[in-house]
Amino acid sequence: MHLALYTFNNCQNQDIDILWLRDPFPHLFTGVDFQVTCDHSNGNTSDPGNVVNGGFKFVQANHRTVKFYKYWYELRWTFCGKNEQDVFNIIKHDGFVTEELGLTMRFLDTVYFRGFCQLHREMDKICIMHANCCLGLHNKINGLRQSLKDWKDYLSATDRRNMTWPSPDRCRGSMSNISLIV
């Protein structure tokens, strides 16, 4: 198996902004080629209408995914100026991907794979926390530090029943599309 890191538009920036709080693997699907987190999830993991975020992906190594990554990478010229996440949000509806390649996809529910775009209140289900929908490295670091502190408080609490996930203060104002699910 070979691992290749593709970058779009000659951008060499890498983003490391995810906290792993619980084992996410029990919440992944078996027999699926490509699984990806979402900025906004409608709860239907098969619906390509979910807004994808490439912060966490689980990909089976097979001929379909290899062809898909090549196709995805080649489209950087067609969608010049867009990043890989934007391109994916366009091509996930493409008949070539689903019909010709036969690629199976799942869009991971933000109940377990959360980000700052769509926070859920329950702390007892989260596996990963992604500092998406947060502009600026300083804001992301502060948001993740706050999330880690909240997580530690949750773990040390004797009564967790009424504990809820707060919104990251620094990130709340950095983007206008952050929503909080109650």
Side-chain angles (χ1 to χ4, degrees):
M1 177 175 16
H2 298 281
L3 176 65
L5 176 63
Y6 291 115
T7 58
F8 282 65
N9 303 322
N10 297 321
C11 178
Q12 297 300 317
N13 295 331
Q14 300 302 313
D15 204 10
I16 301 173
D17 58 358
I18 291 182
L19 293 175
W20 286 54
L21 304 171
R22 285 193 177 96
D23 181 4
F25 293 102
H27 301 285
L28 296 175
F29 297 88
T30 58
V32 174
D33 296 317
F34 189 93
Q35 300 177 59
V36 63
T37 53
C38 298
D39 278 345
H40 295 278
S41 168
N42 62 20
N44 179 351
T45 60
S46 299
D47 183 3
N50 289 299
V51 180
V52 169
N53 180 292
F56 177 89
K57 299 176 209 70
F58 188 79
V59 182
Q60 292 291 330
N62 59 42
H63 68 282
R64 290 180 302 277
T65 56
V66 169
K67 287 180 181 177
F68 171 68
Y69 267 95
K70 286 181 181 178
Y71 176 67
W72 188 6
Y73 182 68
E74 287 170 5
L75 285 176
R76 74 192 186 286
W77 303 112
T78 304
F79 300 105
C80 190
K82 298 215 179 276
N83 65 34
E84 77 281 355
Q85 183 175 304
D86 293 335
V87 173
F88 184 87
N89 273 307
I90 294 168
I91 67 171
K92 66 185 176 185
H93 302 284
D94 193 327
F96 175 77
V97 173
T98 56
E99 294 164 21
E100 192 167 326
L101 289 180
L103 188 81
T104 55
M105 290 184 270
R106 290 294 179 271
F107 306 95
L108 300 170
D109 197 328
T110 55
V111 168
Y112 302 102
F113 299 88
R114 293 191 197 152
F116 294 164
C117 292
Q118 188 177 18
L119 284 172
H120 292 266
R121 289 285 191 189
E122 315 91 349
M123 294 181 81
D124 60 335
K125 296 179 182 175
I126 186 171
C127 296
I128 66 168
M129 175 61 83
H130 183 197
N132 56 355
C133 292
C134 185
L135 293 179
L137 181 60
H138 186 68
N139 290 333
K140 284 186 176 209
I141 290 170
N142 283 318
L144 288 173
R145 280 188 180 141
Q146 180 180 344
S147 295
L148 188 56
K149 180 196 174 304
D150 297 335
W151 179 249
K152 287 178 180 179
D153 291 346
Y154 170 78
L155 292 178
S156 65
T158 54
D159 183 10
R160 298 178 183 167
R161 288 177 293 181
N162 295 324
M163 293 188 76
T164 61
W165 203 266
S167 179
D169 295 332
R170 296 268 180 133
C171 293
R172 200 174 322 135
S174 73
M175 293 186 75
S176 61
N177 63 343
I178 296 174
S179 64
L180 185 62
I181 304 301
V182 280

